[in-house]
């Protein structure tokens, strides 16, 4: 939800801190702030707006310091105001705190502190933390003891960090459920919500686990248990991503860059060691019932998986939106939950997995971010290796997960002897063609998609329609349109239209229909039938299809023709096209593509 960054070194760290929160802006960007130390004590600078704007307006880099913490916020408790922006300080000004997560008992704690005479300047849940630190420090005169006592009072999730004038050479941080890690270099020790906070400076990271806290100074770091106070020996992990892959590389937006990176990310997914996907197949085979779980885009990825695995392996693995999982799924020791998550930090997905574990179920996940909470929670994890996905809107990570679910479906079909080795290899070879085809289509059709998107960018209502596996294509494509262009787009099974929605067809409702290749005969015919229903009511239809030009001349109002491909990869190619259509609509509407409103890259609250 928010991004935390920290740095302590021999010389000025202001620039490193600035880069840290700027690289974390995809986690939240409505306001930001820093706390530094100078000869007079703590200095707090904060305001609403994005990181660059804040640093420029407040001339923050003018303030030199060897130690500091910073925060970029995505508001959950309290409006977007300067007062609610982090860091938040204690009444005596001796503690400055940044926090990511939600303190669920904060109302109760505010009342308690108010009775002790503390005054609150913000509406946030976070402000109880600096006041408690002050309160407990006054009793023990020991910062670590005050931290342990404060954390004991907090319910909910947090990654928190603070600096204090009582120990001005050290940064303190602690974690429960929200992500936090240290970056270790000789000259500077870093702190971040994830690797992006310090990847430009060091690839050596220490992942802080739940119930741990750390104290970092210029030339040392210690990690301890919040409960026992005992020091914990933590291994240094090497980050495999490079900082170049986190940059825009000449593209105007990360979203466009990441759409264009899909040939590589699909290749990476296909190069993942076979034993990892075999392990998932083993778990599915051993379990009575497997559920596919994700939320937002990854729920739609789960829906792709549901159709693909049902079609290929004749096995029905229900896809459930993680936020509904506890209410819906019937879990016991014989169950297995396969979660999909780009960030590996999503609260709803973590909650579903924890619930499944508490019922004795087996768990597995396909995750992009190494060291993330989900990857450490599950019994088996597949790292999809898509590299950093910086744009808040998910594109390349989702497609890679769909490819991996297809591989799992094929392996399951082979295991169940529904297909032989030859057929298995043939289908894997078809998947291997996907990167080259995406590359060619992006090269050849981008201009045309741009033109169409610009022609129709003022359309206010889109229906996205597909049948079978093209239904999740419609759902995910509509989500792209909603979240990046803020345009109403509704994904729906095409067969559902005639049960009511057709009544809405008029000159203001535009439809996009994902037409399967002809070889998928029944689905193809049924989809054309739905198009006829719209056209009979003079509705507009943009068809995304694989027929040669002029084949169904009068059927479409507008058409986007793709080269003929196998039914296995056809829906995946259409998804890429729809991502691009949403992107160009958003640029025509002058939206903030990489940082769309009301969405954060990893939603770590419930
Ligand atoms: C869509 C989007 C969100 C995420 C969802 C799950 O573009 O970004 O819908 O897909 O919040 O996030 P992860 O995959 O990180 O668990």
């Amino acid at each position: 939800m928010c991004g935390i960054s920290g740095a302590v070194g021999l010389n000025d760290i202001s620039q490193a801190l600035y880069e840290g929160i700027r690289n974390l802006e995809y986690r939240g960007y409505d306001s930001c702030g820093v706390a530094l130390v100078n000869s007079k004590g703590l200095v707090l600078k904060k305001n609403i707006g994005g990181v660059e704007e804040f640093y420029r307006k407040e001339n923050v880099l003018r303030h030199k310091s060897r130690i500091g913490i910073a925060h970029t916020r995505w508001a959950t408790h309290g409006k977007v105001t300067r007062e609610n922006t982090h860091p938040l300080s204690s009444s005596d000004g001796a503690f400055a705190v940044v926090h990511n997560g939600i303190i669920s008992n904060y109302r109760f704690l505010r009342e308690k502190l108010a009775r002790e005479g503390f005054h609150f300047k913000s509406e946030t849940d976070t402000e109880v933390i600096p006041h408690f630190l002050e309160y407990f420090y006054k009793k023990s005169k020991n910062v670590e003891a005050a931290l342990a006592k404060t954390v004991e009072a907090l319910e909910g999730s947090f990654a928190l960090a603070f600096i204090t004038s009582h120990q001005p050479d050290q940064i303190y941080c602690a974690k429960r459920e929200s992500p936090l890690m240290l970056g270790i270099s000789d000259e500077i020790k870093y702190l971040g919500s994830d690797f992006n906070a310090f990847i430009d400076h060091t690839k050596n990271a220490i992942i802080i686990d739940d119930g741990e806290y750390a104290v970092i100074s210029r030339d040392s770091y210690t990690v301890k248990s919040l409960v026992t106070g005992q020091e914990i020996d933590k291994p240094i992990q090497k980050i495999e991503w490079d900082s170049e892959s986190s940059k825009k590389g000449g593209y105007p937006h990360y979203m466009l860059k990441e759409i264009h990176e899909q040939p590589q990310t699909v290749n990476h997914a296909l190069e993942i060691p076979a034993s990892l996907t075999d392990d998932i197949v083993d778990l599915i085979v051993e379990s009575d019932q497997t559920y596919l779980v994700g939320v937002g885009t990854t729920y739609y990825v789960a829906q792709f998986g549901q159709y693909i695995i049902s079609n290929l392996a004749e096995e029905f693995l229900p896809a459930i939106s993680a936020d509904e999982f506890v209410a819906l799924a019937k879990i016991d020791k014989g169950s297995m939950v396969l979660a999909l998550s780009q960030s590996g930090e999503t609260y709803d997905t973590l909650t579903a997995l924890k619930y499944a574990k508490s019922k004795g179920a087996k768990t597995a996940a396909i995750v992009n971010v190494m060291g993330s909470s989900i990857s450490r929670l599950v019994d088996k994890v597949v790292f999809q290796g898509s590299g950093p996905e910086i744009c808040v809107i998910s594109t390349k990570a989702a497609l890679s997960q769909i490819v991996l679910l297809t591989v799992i479906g094929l392996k399951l079909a082979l295991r169940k002897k529904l297909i032989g080795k030859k057929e298995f290899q043939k289908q894997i070879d078809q998947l291997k063609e996907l990167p080259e085809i995406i590359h060619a289509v992006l090269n050849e059709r981008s201009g045309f998609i741009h033109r169409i998107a610009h022609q129709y960018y003022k359309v206010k209502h889109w229906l996205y329609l597909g049948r079978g596996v093209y239904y999740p294509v419609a759902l995910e494509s509509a989500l792209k349109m909603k979240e990046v262009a803020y345009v109403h787009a509704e994904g729906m099974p095409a067969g559902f239209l005639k049960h009511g929605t057709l009544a809405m067809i008029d000159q203001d409702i535009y439809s996009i229909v994902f037409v399967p290749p002809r070889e998928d005969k029944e689905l193809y015919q049924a989809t054309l039938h739905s198009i006829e229903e719209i056209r009979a009511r003079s509705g507009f239809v943009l068809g995304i299809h694989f027929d040669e030009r002029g084949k169904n001349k009068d059927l479409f109002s507008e058409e986007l023709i793709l080269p003929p491909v196998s039914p296995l990869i056809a829906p995946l190619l259409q998804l890429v096209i729809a991502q691009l259509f949403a992107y160009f609509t958003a640029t025509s509407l002058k939206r903030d593509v990489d940082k769309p409103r009301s969405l954060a890259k990893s939603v770590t609250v419930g």
Side-chain angles (χ1 to χ4, degrees):
M1 244 41 278
C2 303
I4 290 177
S5 157
V8 46
L10 184 61
N11 300 313
D12 179 40
I13 50 74
S14 311
Q15 180 68 27
L17 208 55
Y18 164 63
E19 288 162 11
I21 46 167
R22 203 190 47 195
N23 288 349
L24 292 178
E25 246 191 319
Y26 63 86
R27 301 178 64 90
Y29 34 80
D30 51 42
S31 48
C32 53
V34 296
L36 305 164
V37 176
N38 70 14
S39 54
K40 295 195 191 99
L42 302 190
V43 181
L44 254 66
K45 288 269 157 200
K46 55 186 186 174
N47 218 332
I48 58 173
V51 172
E52 267 186 53
E53 186 193 353
F54 159 70
Y55 264 76
R56 192 172 14 87
K57 279 194 184 155
E58 306 273 330
N59 212 350
V60 184
L61 288 176
R62 194 169 44 89
H63 298 269
K64 306 285 176 214
S65 178
R66 290 178 185 164
I67 184 166
I69 51 174
H71 188 266
T72 175
R73 180 171 186 244
W74 196 79
T76 56
H77 288 63
K79 291 184 278 301
V80 180
T81 62
R82 188 182 179 283
E83 290 68 37
N84 291 337
T85 302
H86 300 209
L88 290 148
S89 55
S90 54
S91 296
D92 63 2
F95 292 90
V97 175
V98 292
H99 163 227
N100 169 33
I102 287 182
I103 308 303
S104 49
N105 60 339
Y106 81 103
R107 285 179 200 281
F108 167 76
L109 297 179
R110 271 174 92 107
E111 281 165 21
K112 195 168 162 176
L113 285 160
R115 283 197 296 276
E116 297 290 339
F118 286 91
H119 294 290
F120 285 82
K121 290 176 281 210
S122 78
E123 303 159 320
T124 63
D125 53 339
T126 304
E127 199 181 345
V128 298
I129 303 173
H131 292 321
F132 263 123
L133 287 168
E134 175 185 331
Y135 177 76
F136 288 121
Y137 181 79
K138 281 194 176 133
K139 289 182 187 283
S140 65
K141 297 280 180 265
N142 179 314
V143 179
E144 286 185 49
L147 168 60
K149 279 292 209 191
T150 300
V151 164
E152 213 179 289
L154 306 179
E155 287 173 14
S157 59
F158 55 79
L160 64 88
F162 67 88
I163 54 173
T164 170
S165 51
H166 299 302
Q167 295 285 351
D169 299 328
Q170 292 178 333
I171 301 178
Y172 297 79
C173 60
K175 166 186 153 63
R176 185 195 295 157
E177 290 184 7
S178 303
L180 194 63
M181 50 203 71
L182 308 183
I184 308 298
S185 77
D186 289 342
E187 301 82 32
I188 303 184
K189 306 286 175 290
Y190 301 89
L191 171 72
S193 294
D194 64 43
F195 307 142
N196 290 304
F198 47 75
I199 198 169
D200 286 329
H201 306 286
T202 178
K203 292 190 172 185
N204 294 332
I206 290 178
I207 295 163
I208 309 292
D209 282 300
D210 285 349
E212 293 177 352
Y213 74 98
V215 184
I216 58 173
S217 60
R218 192 185 81 195
D219 34 39
S220 74
Y221 61 88
T222 46
V223 181
K224 294 182 181 177
S225 158
L226 277 162
V227 181
T228 64
Q230 295 287 314
E231 203 167 319
I232 301 168
D233 197 14
K234 302 283 291 188
I236 292 190
Q237 303 198 7
K238 280 263 173 236
I239 308 166
E240 284 171 12
W241 295 351
D242 61 33
S243 64
E244 244 343 277
S245 54
S246 302
K247 305 222 165 81
K248 269 192 213 151
Y251 288 94
H253 297 103
Y254 283 112
M255 183 174 177
L256 190 61
K257 175 183 179 240
E258 288 160 7
I259 289 173
H260 277 267
E261 277 172 357
Q262 292 182 112
Q264 291 99 289
T265 49
V266 169
N267 269 332
H268 289 160
L270 291 169
E271 281 160 7
I272 279 168
S275 62
L276 296 176
T277 39
D278 285 342
D279 285 350
I280 308 282
V281 174
D282 288 343
L283 283 178
I284 296 174
V285 171
E286 287 158 17
S287 307
D288 303 332
Q289 177 68 68
T290 295
Y291 296 94
L292 302 174
V293 172
V295 70
T297 286
T298 47
Y299 169 51
Y300 296 146
V301 170
Q303 292 222 16
F304 270 94
Q306 178 182 273
Y307 277 95
I308 291 168
I309 295 171
S310 172
N311 290 343
L312 294 174
E314 295 178 12
E315 192 114 2
F316 176 43
L317 314 186
I320 302 185
S321 186
D323 55 322
E324 290 295 324
F325 186 76
V326 176
L328 182 60
K330 293 289 159 257
I331 301 296
D332 58 27
K333 287 196 179 65
S335 316
M336 203 283 266
V337 177
L338 174 56
L340 294 316
S341 178
Q342 188 286 130
S343 64
E345 300 294 348
T346 302
Y347 175 88
D348 290 322
T349 312
L350 264 170
T351 306
L353 286 167
K354 284 180 187 165
Y355 173 73
K357 274 186 109 83
S358 75
K359 298 278 177 187
K362 299 227 167 42
T363 54
I366 299 177
V367 171
N368 194 32
V369 179
M370 282 174 66
S372 56
S373 305
I374 289 177
S375 71
R376 284 176 296 136
L377 180 76
V378 292
D379 303 318
K380 295 275 176 210
V381 62
V382 177
F383 288 113
Q384 59 189 87
S386 306
E389 191 181 61
I390 304 292
C391 175
V392 167
I393 286 153
S394 186
T395 51
K396 63 174 184 172
L399 185 71
S400 294
Q401 290 173 343
I402 299 167
V403 167
L404 284 167
L405 288 171
T406 310
V407 171
I408 289 168
L410 287 169
K411 287 189 171 183
L412 193 58
L414 183 65
R415 190 81 71 88
K416 290 173 75 178
K417 299 198 179 6
L418 294 168
I419 53 172
K421 278 194 180 146
K422 219 167 144 197
E423 180 59 23
F424 173 79
Q425 197 49 51
K426 189 177 144 206
Q427 304 228 28
I428 291 285
D429 288 345
Q430 285 177 7
L431 266 183
K432 286 186 179 160
E433 286 169 10
L434 181 61
E436 194 46 50
I437 293 171
I438 296 177
H439 185 73
V441 166
L442 285 175
N443 273 345
E444 288 160 19
R445 308 287 154 98
S446 282
F448 183 67
I449 298 167
H450 192 172
R451 191 177 67 64
I452 299 218
H454 194 67
Q455 192 171 340
Y456 297 105
Y457 79 96
K458 288 189 180 146
V459 170
K460 293 222 165 3
H461 307 283
W462 286 100
L463 279 179
Y464 278 66
L465 302 162
R467 285 177 181 258
V469 69
Y470 298 86
Y471 168 40
V473 178
L475 288 170
E476 170 58 5
S477 303
L479 180 60
K480 295 301 96 170
M481 185 59 111
K482 284 185 270 204
E483 61 190 351
V484 70
Y486 322 150
V487 170
H488 175 220
E490 205 173 324
M492 193 179 292
F496 198 88
L497 258 187
K498 58 184 175 297
H499 297 282
T501 315
L502 270 179
M504 287 180 49
I505 299 294
D506 63 14
Q507 72 281 3
D508 294 327
I509 302 267
Y510 283 59
S511 300
I512 293 188
V513 184
F514 297 92
V515 186
R518 257 164 194 272
E519 294 146 83
D520 234 341
K521 213 164 154 207
E522 279 169 30
L523 223 48
Y524 175 80
Q525 289 300 350
T527 308
L528 293 199
H529 193 70
S530 302
I531 298 174
E532 305 270 14
E533 289 169 349
I534 303 171
R535 298 296 283 148
R537 286 153 187 86
S538 306
F540 172 98
V541 174
L542 164 58
I544 302 185
H545 67 81
F546 301 89
D547 285 332
E548 67 265 36
R549 184 163 296 284
K551 193 87 202 170
N552 290 299
K553 217 161 130 268
D554 302 324
L555 202 56
F556 306 106
S557 325
E558 192 74 75
E559 51 189 342
L560 220 156
I561 308 169
L562 296 172
V565 293
S566 73
L568 189 72
I569 59 173
L572 282 58
L573 188 60
Q574 288 184 335
L575 177 61
V576 174
I577 298 307
Q579 293 168 344
L580 208 55
F581 183 65
Y583 169 78
F584 285 129
T585 305
T587 54
S588 289
L589 288 165
K590 307 214 180 326
R591 304 298 192 220
D592 192 354
V593 170
D594 287 331
K595 289 180 260 164
R597 69 188 183 204
S598 305
L599 182 64
K601 187 73 187 154
S602 69
V603 184
T604 54
V605 291

